[in-house]
Amino acid sequence: MKKKDRIQETHESNVLLTSKGDKIFDTCIYVLAVLIIIVTLYPLIYVFSMAISNPVAVARKQIWLWPVGFSSEAFKTVLNDKNVFIYYGNTIWYTVVGVVTGVIATSLAAYPLSRRNFTPRKYFLIFIMFTMFFGGGMIPTYLVVARFLKLYNTRWALILPGLTSAWYISVTRNFFATIPEEMLESAWMDGASEYRIFLQFVMPLSAPILAVLALYYGIGHWNAYFDALLYLGKTELQPLAMYVRRVVIQNSLEAQGLDHAVDLTYEQVMSTLQIKYAVIVVAVVPILLLYPFLSKYLQKGMLVGSLKG
Amino acid sequence: MKKILSLVLALCLVLSLSSALAWPEWTTTGVEKTGTNYLCDEKTTLTVCTYDGVSQAFDPIGNYQRFWQWMEDYTNVHIEWEVHSNADFGTVRSTKIAAGDIDTDIMNLGSIATAVQAGYSGLAAPISRDWIPNIIEYDATELPIILTNTTAADGNIYCICGNVSPDLGHICYMYKTEWLEKLGREVPTTLDEFYDLCVAMKEAGDLNGNGEADEIILTGSGMSMVNILGNAFGLVQYEDCDAFYPDENGVVQAEIVSDAERELWAYCRKLYDEGILDPGIAKTSADEMSQKIASDKVGIFIYYSAFSISYGRLCSAGQDDPFGCHYAMGEALTGPRGDKFYSLRNRAGNDACIISTSSKNIELAARWLDVVTCDPNSLKVRTCGWEGEQYEYDENGKMQLIYDEDGSWSIGDFGCGQIAMPHYQNYDQLMNSKLNVPWYVEQYDKILHNNDWIAPGVPIIGAYTDEEQELIDMSKTDCNSYFKEARANFITGEWDIDTQWDEYVNTMYGLGLQSWIDAEQMIYDRTR
Amino acid sequence: MSKTAKGKPLNGQTIAKHFQRNTPYYVMLAIPVLYFAIFRYWPMFGLAIAFQNYKPGMPFLNSGAKWVGLKWFIQFLNYPFAWRLVRNTLLLSFYSLIVGFPLAIFLALILNEIRSRKLKEFTTTLSFLPHFISTTVVVGMLTNFLNINDGIINQLIVRMGGTAKDFMGTARYFRTLYVASGCWQNLGFSAIVYSAAIAGVDPGLYEAAFVDGSSRWKNMWLITIPNILPTIIVMLILRVGSLMSVGHEKVILMYSDRILETADVLSTYTYRVGITDGSPKVSYATAIGLMNSLVNLLLVVVTNTISRHVGETSLW
């Protein structure tokens, strides 16, 4: 039995023997847990309910938690716009490419820095770590990327500037350093090159930390909007976040395919709010579906990867 | 048997799909009436980058499609549009300039000053006068400030303005006729009458009869709409902040720190506190305002009259209502000191479009812009519509409107309707202009006849000298931001206007307002 | 691999031999180093434009641009709202820190103490779900919940007899909204670090405490917290180090003209002045950014030094 389970068991078996103080404590904890659940879930449920309810009920402000009536008009309107799929495709592209390149670049940097026999590593480490505390800033970076490197209006403008970061390299490096030196030495003795050691030993063993990296980069790219605002003029290259921002925050009627609102009928007017919420649902649903799987990796990774300097 | 069935099904599918496609409602673009003016032998494609907006010249989506189709048939030039949202266009414009990458043939930079800067830094190609015959003609006969406005200090023309008429619709008041009738009131003419009407509407309660207290008495799209109320106090300002006027000694003053501004804000604060002014006005985009109007909630709204006219359904003027729509257009309100005028954009300087130096079709792009903005046929289509649909000529060759059976006239699916009227200094000029559209005159006769149309002010021109530019750069952004912040906070009552006005004025000067005033003084002296 | 002499970079080998032995390492480092050189260090040269009258189009360090020394820095210090920007930046970070930091620890402790395993897993998993939701969506939800006409919060207020308010448009509420939405989005995720640390606490300690008759409440204070203190301190140093850099991404989504009084921070001002402005003041914006970065650097160094002397934990 693992240590953790033993503790759990001990705690649970203590139920019968706990004092009143502990009982109160447990109740408080229970209440707090429920509160956490409510606070986390309520906005999401409300948004979903609003998107799917009958428009008349929405106009009459009858929705507090659960849907009232049913109408898929809002979703139909949103999904009718072909551009939504383009934006989605872009987001997926940026996420996948960003994760793959990010993980590769981070590992490539972390591995040599974790090998004790690589003596100049201190200098490289300083070279990389310095960027964690100081940088050029928004404008010079923009000028370099957009102007000198001519990446404006290209997809790579969203991938390259944020390829990796000192922080993740550091975390990965720590992990690599925990791989027993002897194992790698024996592979070396068997005549394997460093490349092979890296690819066939280190990487598979590092699956937890790589998963965490993938998650971090993935979330980062999935949600990014600011770089797109700066670097992408063409709407066909833009990620979903830009679309969400335009429709939900800037109140543009883009989602309804209505460029000028004068032709709105009363029904269409009523449903604008619903459409905004429908857009949110559309943007968030894949995350929600993938979430159960992702969270397992995350918890494992955090336990493993951690934070000791 | 199965094969026949599937064939029939496939046929049905194809038919239903094709009928579901939205065919344009027009069957002809009208080129056969106007003739053609091919700019190139083979159909060429130009790319244009602009932003979407209800009342700006290059609106490639929405109702202007037919006009652009007409343009394509007329000039044999096909346009591919790159359209951005209005809110983000500032960022897009700046980032493209900073990136040094104007990748479309034509780009709408908004202001002439920006275009001139782009010209200086080599992004905008200078435009030869040989390429713009229509503009030169228009400048000579109709509007002599076009060329002077757009010519930079080094003598080159770097941009062509999409709007050659300086004002395509001044801001006006629109009153809901139904509610006026219910209250037994008329369209107000003075500020006090206006206030009384607002109060009456507020106290009347459920005017739209739906049982909810959702009536909005006064709204507009954005806080800048309250500027129009400023006209009654003697303020010239048209849109946010660019308002300077010369006093009797020829010394330029800034309106934004004047006492009249303070009066205006105090008045608006009163409207806000009494629940007359829509608390959500600051956040209301034009689209949202239209939604509020369409859902029968709005008593009075303030917006550009071009919007009202070009969509043909929302406006009428005076008591008669030939348009068959729901709002009556109101005239400028007379203020406490007898001020009554419409502040118009006294400049031909909107939507300054540059031609990128990396374009392969610089001359063609210039000629195309020339045709769009000043070609007589193009102007006729944009301002009046289609012959045989919106108007026809009678025996004397005079233009007459074509009304529908219900007595209303609409621009229908064509939608431009940007009337090139108000740049005329007075009524007589309008009557003698080639672009005189009789129905427009009819509608505005009662309102604008005998009134000053253009409020006095320092002309807002495009091409600054370097010195002026530097002075302006130092403070304009900060002053503009602070002005908007102050306006919103004073009107909603977050800041108390009585005790904090002086602080506001001092901060404004602290932000460099004086250097801006100095620049305007230089411009005024130069152009006097 | 033979023993290496620590400290000496080449430990006695010639350069050629060193490279020959370590080629794979250099090859692997090539890409990341190139990345850092191009995308992190090259822009640092761009900081030079903070001392020039730079117009976009020239390369950095070009003699074509006029050198103006500290003109932009002085201009910023003379800007009447300079202090407001700094104050807003500090206050936003500070409030986020004061509220979010302890709450994250608190959350981790609560989650750890949930007795029912199912409930614990469910709540834990749920708690960092919001982190996966993009800021755009979170701010979008916030904006629409607070809408003066049809937002749920105003709906509730009106139902309870009050008047609807435009919360997002009123300066005084901004900080609260910013911090609160930040907590909703990030608290669970931040708590993970502490959960991991808590899980690493020696269970023997709990057993011993149980034998001594300690209660769960006491356990929490006397065992759990002291043992995760190193983690807490490291996290704190990192947080303090970024005190002066409020992420502009979220603020830009949330702010508007009307609430500049509390919402305008250094990074948004830089963004407005340097990018969205009609005639962008690139040099001025860069100068402000440079000052911001320097202060950040200073904060990290100071905090780290203090921590090194006071305790044992530090970043370097």
Side-chain angles (χ1 to χ4, degrees):
Chain A
M1 239 202 290
K2 296 208 180 115
K3 268 193 185 165
K4 258 192 84 182
D5 293 345
R6 246 195 289 155
I7 280 293
Q8 196 67 30
E9 221 194 39
T10 320
H11 274 189
E12 284 173 12
S13 64
N14 285 341
V15 170
L16 305 165
L17 308 170
T18 43
S19 63
K20 210 168 82 165
D22 274 357
K23 277 226 186 81
I24 297 178
F25 184 73
D26 282 340
T27 324
C28 291
I29 295 285
Y30 183 75
V31 166
L32 286 170
V34 170
L35 213 65
I36 293 170
I37 296 178
I38 293 178
V39 166
T40 311
L41 274 186
Y42 176 70
L44 299 169
I45 298 183
Y46 175 73
V47 166
F48 187 73
S49 298
M50 285 289 276
I52 210 167
S53 295
N54 187 324
V56 180
V58 171
R60 296 224 192 102
K61 304 192 180 162
Q62 289 173 337
I63 293 143
W64 294 96
L65 176 63
W66 300 114
V68 173
F70 178 78
S71 157
S72 62
E73 276 308 310
F75 284 109
K76 273 198 214 152
T77 315
V78 172
L79 294 173
N80 251 342
D81 182 11
K82 308 248 176 344
N83 289 329
V84 172
F85 299 104
I86 297 182
Y87 297 133
Y88 240 119
N90 287 336
T91 305
I92 295 178
W93 193 95
Y94 293 126
T95 309
V96 167
V97 173
V99 164
V100 167
T101 54
V103 169
I104 292 178
T106 313
S107 321
L108 284 179
Y111 180 67
L113 295 179
S114 67
R115 295 294 102 216
R116 257 171 279 143
N117 58 312
F118 181 58
T119 26
R121 64 187 175 151
K122 192 168 82 167
Y123 303 102
F124 283 102
L125 204 59
I126 296 180
F127 178 74
I128 290 180
M129 282 304 174
F130 181 66
T131 64
M132 205 157 74
F133 304 107
F134 191 75
M138 202 195 306
I139 311 269
T141 311
Y142 178 79
L143 288 172
V144 165
V145 173
R147 187 140 200 156
F148 300 142
L149 294 175
K150 299 216 183 306
L151 290 177
Y152 183 77
N153 259 348
T154 62
R155 288 181 183 274
W156 297 102
L158 251 53
I159 303 285
L160 292 178
L163 187 63
T164 179
S165 89
W167 177 246
Y168 294 139
I169 292 180
S170 163
V171 168
T172 317
R173 180 186 84 106
N174 287 336
F175 185 83
F176 285 165
T178 64
I179 295 180
E181 188 81 17
E182 301 75 43
M183 197 164 58
L184 303 176
E185 283 231 12
S186 64
W188 172 268
M189 290 305 178
D190 287 345
S193 71
E194 282 288 350
Y195 301 116
R196 272 192 66 194
I197 294 180
F198 177 65
L199 282 173
Q200 291 186 327
F201 283 91
V202 177
M203 289 299 261
L205 281 177
S206 312
I209 198 69
L210 294 182
V212 169
L213 274 185
L215 211 57
Y216 277 130
Y217 285 129
I219 300 173
H221 281 284
W222 183 267
N223 294 334
Y225 89 92
F226 192 68
D227 277 358
L229 184 61
L230 283 184
Y231 296 123
L232 294 181
K234 296 205 176 88
T235 43
E236 56 265 20
L237 293 177
Q238 285 174 355
L240 196 63
M242 293 283 285
Y243 174 73
V244 171
R245 173 173 172 258
R246 283 201 295 268
V247 174
V248 179
I249 302 181
Q250 291 178 326
N251 299 324
S252 136
L253 291 184
E254 188 178 336
Q256 290 145 284
L258 292 171
D259 309 304
H260 303 293
V262 191
D263 295 330
L264 287 182
T265 60
Y266 189 46
E267 288 73 36
Q268 287 166 314
V269 165
M270 282 202 290
S271 66
T272 303
L273 184 63
Q274 279 194 294
I275 289 180
K276 285 193 209 166
Y277 285 137
V279 166
I280 292 182
V281 170
V282 163
V284 158
V285 152
I287 296 277
L288 293 181
L289 291 178
L290 284 178
Y291 185 64
F293 310 108
L294 298 175
S295 71
K296 286 214 181 71
Y297 278 116
L298 189 63
Q299 284 184 297
K300 256 197 237 166
M302 285 313 295
L303 282 179
V304 168
S306 245
L307 242 260
K308 318 273 165 79
Chain B
M1 185 58 193
K2 264 203 191 154
K3 267 199 193 156
I4 300 178
L5 205 58
S6 48
L7 205 61
V8 168
L9 273 176
L11 204 61
C12 288
L13 199 65
V14 167
L15 280 176
S16 57
L17 276 179
S18 59
S19 66
L21 290 175
W23 295 111
E25 284 173 22
W26 61 89
T27 50
T28 164
T29 55
V31 163
E32 54 290 336
K33 296 253 173 68
T34 51
T36 61
N37 179 9
Y38 275 19
L39 297 175
C40 50
D41 298 320
E42 288 213 8
K43 182 163 272 201
T44 322
T45 301
L46 291 180
T47 49
V48 177
C49 174
T50 182
Y51 63 95
D52 68 25
V54 171
S55 67
Q56 57 95 24
F58 289 129
D59 190 354
I61 45 186
N63 295 340
Y64 287 65
Q65 286 177 42
R66 188 172 167 197
F67 172 69
W68 294 118
Q69 187 57 48
W70 174 87
M71 270 294 292
E72 183 169 330
D73 296 337
Y74 186 64
T75 57
N76 206 27
V77 172
H78 176 71
I79 300 292
E80 273 186 18
W81 299 92
E82 183 188 300
V83 184
H84 297 275
S85 75
N86 198 353
D88 280 336
F89 197 65
T91 309
V92 170
R93 184 185 54 207
S94 303
T95 48
K96 283 204 180 192
I97 292 179
D101 177 13
I102 313 264
D103 52 351
T104 51
D105 291 301
I106 296 174
M107 177 152 178
N108 179 351
L109 285 186
S111 78
I112 299 179
T114 317
V116 167
Q117 290 299 319
Y120 287 163
S121 53
L123 290 171
I127 297 172
S128 157
R129 283 170 168 68
D130 296 333
W131 301 337
I132 51 170
N134 289 305
I135 291 178
I136 300 204
E137 166 82 16
Y138 195 79
D139 176 88
T141 57
E142 295 276 348
L143 187 63
I145 55 171
I146 296 185
L147 285 179
T148 46
N149 267 4
T150 53
T151 309
D154 65 358
N156 284 328
I157 300 178
Y158 290 112
C159 61
I160 293 175
C161 290
N163 290 347
V164 292
S165 307
D167 189 88
L168 299 186
H170 55 286
I171 302 180
C172 63
Y173 306 89
M174 305 295 289
Y175 305 91
K176 197 170 173 75
T177 44
E178 202 183 311
W179 294 10
L180 283 177
E181 278 164 24
K182 273 196 191 166
L183 295 169
R185 288 177 174 258
E186 318 256 297
V187 170
T189 55
T190 72
L191 204 58
D192 293 328
E193 285 173 22
F194 181 79
Y195 179 66
D196 289 338
L197 173 63
C198 291
V199 169
M201 279 191 184
K202 182 75 187 164
E203 286 171 359
D206 189 16
L207 277 168
N208 60 6
N210 65 354
E212 302 248 343
D214 59 356
E215 283 73 14
I216 297 172
I217 311 299
L218 176 63
T219 189
S221 88
M223 212 46 120
S224 57
M225 292 297 126
V226 303
N227 284 352
I228 183 186
L229 287 164
N231 294 154
F233 293 98
L235 293 168
V236 167
Q237 62 196 26
Y238 181 78
E239 285 174 335
D240 297 333
C241 202
D242 280 22
F244 296 86
Y245 66 95
D247 65 12
E248 54 284 340
N249 301 324
V251 176
V252 170
Q253 308 288 337
E255 275 192 355
I256 56 179
V257 290
S258 64
D259 289 330
E261 190 81 49
R262 181 182 181 165
E263 276 182 68
L264 167 66
W265 287 353
Y267 180 80
C268 291
R269 164 88 195 268
K270 194 164 68 149
L271 292 179
Y272 182 85
D273 281 344
E274 296 182 16
I276 294 171
L277 187 61
D278 176 12
I281 187 176
K283 274 231 188 75
T284 308
S285 63
D287 289 334
E288 285 194 309
M289 187 187 70
S290 308
Q291 289 170 42
K292 291 181 186 176
I293 294 169
S295 58
D296 214 24
K297 289 185 191 162
V298 176
I300 307 172
F301 75 90
I302 300 176
Y303 202 61
Y304 303 97
S305 63
F307 168 83
S308 324
I309 293 172
S310 62
Y311 293 99
R313 293 187 195 104
L314 289 183
C315 89
S316 78
Q319 315 317 70
D320 308 314
D321 192 4
F323 287 54
C325 52
H326 309 292
Y327 283 83
M329 188 188 294
E331 49 188 281
L333 298 170
T334 311
R337 288 179 287 277
D339 294 294
K340 177 183 174 136
F341 53 78
Y342 300 86
S343 55
L344 306 173
R345 281 180 281 200
N346 187 14
R347 59 187 165 169
N350 284 347
D351 294 318
C353 294
I354 60 156
I355 302 170
S356 166
T357 37
S358 55
S359 159
K360 307 224 176 11
N361 291 305
I362 295 181
E363 181 179 337
L364 181 64
R367 288 189 181 278
W368 183 84
L369 281 170
D370 175 59
V371 167
V372 165
T373 53
C374 288
D375 176 285
N377 284 320
S378 160
L379 275 178
K380 177 69 73 69
V381 167
R382 274 208 327 187
T383 59
C384 311
W386 311 97
E387 191 187 340
E389 290 176 38
Q390 272 75 39
Y391 65 90
E392 59 193 356
Y393 290 105
D394 64 11
E395 325 70 55
N396 306 325
K398 289 209 76 183
M399 198 193 264
Q400 298 297 336
L401 290 187
I402 301 177
Y403 290 96
D404 292 343
E405 298 101 32
D406 64 357
S408 70
W409 181 88
S410 86
I411 301 209
D413 61 8
F414 141 69
C416 286
Q418 303 285 2
I419 309 302
M421 175 203 81
H423 68 263
Y424 302 107
Q425 302 291 329
N426 53 52
Y427 192 71
D428 293 326
Q429 266 198 8
L430 165 67
M431 294 309 294
N432 297 325
S433 162
K434 289 205 284 262
L435 289 174
N436 181 352
V437 181
W439 67 264
Y440 195 84
V441 174
E442 275 170 48
Q443 304 310 319
Y444 275 74
D445 198 18
K446 288 181 212 163
I447 297 174
L448 297 180
H449 193 48
N450 295 328
N451 290 323
D452 287 349
W453 289 2
I454 298 183
V458 176
I460 302 173
I461 63 165
Y464 302 117
T465 64
D466 277 346
E467 198 186 341
E468 289 160 4
Q469 185 73 52
E470 211 180 298
L471 278 176
I472 289 180
D473 276 350
M474 278 198 332
S475 54
K476 184 169 175 181
T477 321
D478 291 333
C479 288
N480 264 336
S481 294
Y482 186 57
F483 170 76
K484 289 190 193 148
E485 190 188 346
R487 178 177 59 194
N489 281 299
F490 277 130
I491 291 181
T492 54
E494 289 288 321
W495 296 1
D496 179 39
I497 201 160
D498 293 317
T499 54
Q500 290 177 275
W501 174 260
D502 292 325
E503 186 189 324
Y504 160 72
V505 174
N506 290 336
T507 314
M508 223 14 139
Y509 279 106
L511 287 169
L513 182 63
Q514 192 57 49
S515 63
W516 193 358
I517 295 177
D518 293 338
E520 294 289 336
Q521 183 75 58
M522 287 166 63
I523 294 172
Y524 179 64
D525 294 334
R526 174 154 70 92
T527 57
R528 213 200 299 227
Chain C
M1 284 166 277
S2 52
K3 284 217 199 105
T4 58
K6 273 215 179 126
K8 285 221 177 109
L10 297 181
N11 62 320
Q13 300 164 321
T14 62
I15 297 187
K17 209 152 182 234
H18 172 83
F19 269 101
Q20 189 193 46
R21 267 200 146 160
N22 291 307
T23 325
Y25 294 145
Y26 281 102
V27 167
M28 290 172 75
L29 277 175
I31 295 180
V33 166
L34 200 64
Y35 161 73
F36 280 100
I38 296 180
F39 290 96
R40 303 290 182 120
Y41 281 93
W42 187 357
M44 287 192 204
F45 287 99
L47 290 170
I49 68 180
F51 302 96
Q52 298 173 305
N53 198 3
Y54 181 81
K55 296 262 182 280
M58 316 173 204
F60 296 150
L61 298 180
N62 188 23
S63 52
K66 213 167 34 136
W67 288 89
V68 294
L70 296 175
K71 168 179 170 188
W72 304 115
F73 297 89
I74 297 178
Q75 181 170 341
F76 181 65
L77 292 172
N78 282 331
Y79 175 55
F81 294 134
W83 167 239
R84 175 171 91 175
L85 295 177
V86 172
R87 180 200 71 192
N88 286 340
T89 312
L90 281 176
L91 281 183
L92 273 184
S93 299
F94 191 64
Y95 286 156
S96 299
L97 182 67
I98 288 269
V99 172
F101 191 76
L103 277 186
I105 303 175
F106 189 55
L107 181 65
L109 291 170
I110 295 177
L111 290 175
N112 181 53
E113 298 288 347
I114 298 178
R115 266 183 342 156
S116 149
R117 179 159 344 166
K118 264 205 204 151
L119 184 65
K120 180 173 180 177
E121 262 190 51
F122 180 70
T123 315
T124 314
T125 315
L126 197 63
S127 72
F128 45 86
L129 169 64
H131 181 83
F132 287 68
I133 297 178
S134 78
T135 315
T136 343
V137 171
V138 172
V139 175
M141 288 199 286
L142 189 69
T143 315
N144 283 293
F145 289 173
L146 294 170
N147 187 313
I148 195 169
N149 290 317
D150 39 25
I152 178 97
I153 305 234
N154 277 316
Q155 212 173 298
L156 190 64
I157 293 179
V158 167
R159 199 55 94 79
M160 300 206 297
T163 42
K165 273 196 86 93
D166 183 12
F167 291 100
M168 291 284 277
T170 312
R172 359 198 195 111
Y173 296 108
F174 176 74
R175 292 192 189 114
T176 315
L177 291 174
Y178 182 86
V179 172
S181 57
C183 283
W184 185 81
Q185 194 183 7
N186 292 317
L187 216 54
F189 195 74
S190 320
I192 293 182
V193 171
Y194 303 112
S195 291
I198 292 176
V201 173
D202 180 9
L205 294 174
Y206 292 109
E207 289 171 10
F210 170 63
V211 166
D212 286 343
S214 168
S215 75
R216 302 261 301 282
W217 172 254
K218 269 206 223 145
N219 280 355
M220 197 171 81
W221 281 101
L222 298 178
I223 300 178
T224 320
I225 293 183
N227 277 294
I228 60 173
L229 212 49
T231 315
I232 295 181
I233 292 185
V234 170
M235 293 301 285
L236 191 61
I237 296 178
L238 287 173
R239 285 292 289 267
V240 169
S242 58
L243 208 60
M244 279 287 280
S245 63
V246 170
H248 49 270
E249 300 206 7
K250 183 163 173 196
V251 180
I252 286 176
L253 289 174
M254 284 179 73
Y255 86 157
S256 64
D257 288 327
R258 290 156 284 147
I259 57 174
L260 292 181
E261 177 67 29
T262 49
D264 207 12
V265 293
L266 282 169
S267 44
T268 53
Y269 183 63
T270 319
Y271 171 66
R272 268 211 319 283
V273 153
I275 296 189
T276 57
D277 191 47
S279 44
K281 300 205 274 269
V282 169
S283 293
Y284 182 49
T286 311
I288 303 176
L290 178 57
M291 289 197 292
N292 203 355
S293 301
L294 286 176
V295 174
N296 271 343
L297 189 58
L298 193 67
L299 278 173
V300 170
V301 169
V302 164
T303 326
N304 194 60
T305 321
I306 293 181
S307 163
R308 184 146 29 111
H309 285 271
V310 167
E312 290 157 13
T313 36
S314 64
L315 279 176
W316 60 76

